[in-house]
Amino acid sequence: MKEQTKQTGIRVLIAIGIVGASALLSTAFTDPHSQWFMDLAKPAFMPPDMVFGIVWAVVYAWTALSIFWAIQGKSYAILWGYGLTLVLTSLRNFAFFYLHNPGAGTL
């Protein structure tokens, strides 16, 4: 039982580490308060800044939980999908905020 608890803890840390690394990388490229972003024409239905933080925290938490479940169930093939999603999310932030390329950020 103790070994199983240890393995579960390691799997939780792996899931959190993977998602946390992606979140930190994405955050490093994101600057919603830059002059470039402030000057963009935004739709009237764009939610307030604080909503993005809440939503992304929930998305990352659910992604970490899903990765944990995949590792726990030895469904390693699906991890490629989660990994690809996290990489694309980081690349999107890089293209949009860092390169100031809205077109590339929407792909």
Side-chain angles (χ1 to χ4, degrees):
M1 182 63 119
K2 191 173 186 178
E3 182 62 29
Q4 185 179 9
T5 302
K6 181 179 177 183
Q7 288 178 354
T8 299
I10 290 170
R11 291 174 180 149
V12 167
L13 290 176
I14 289 170
I16 291 171
I18 291 169
V19 174
S22 175
L24 286 174
L25 186 59
S26 292
T27 301
F29 298 128
T30 305
D31 185 7
H33 303 293
S34 70
Q35 192 60 50
W36 173 81
F37 185 73
M38 297 297 231
D39 290 342
L40 286 177
K42 297 174 197 70
F45 58 84
M46 183 174 162
D49 288 346
M50 70 176 226
V51 171
F52 287 97
I54 294 167
V55 169
W56 276 109
V58 171
V59 168
Y60 280 129
W62 278 109
T63 303
L65 184 60
S66 298
I67 289 172
F68 167 73
W69 284 335
I71 294 170
Q72 192 79 343
K74 296 183 178 19
S75 302
Y76 300 118
I78 199 165
L79 293 176
W80 288 104
Y82 288 122
L84 180 61
T85 300
L86 293 170
V87 167
L88 290 175
T89 299
S90 296
L91 287 175
R92 183 255 176 221
N93 285 358
F94 175 75
F96 187 83
F97 286 102
Y98 190 77
L99 298 179
H100 300 169
N101 189 337
T106 59
L107 298 176

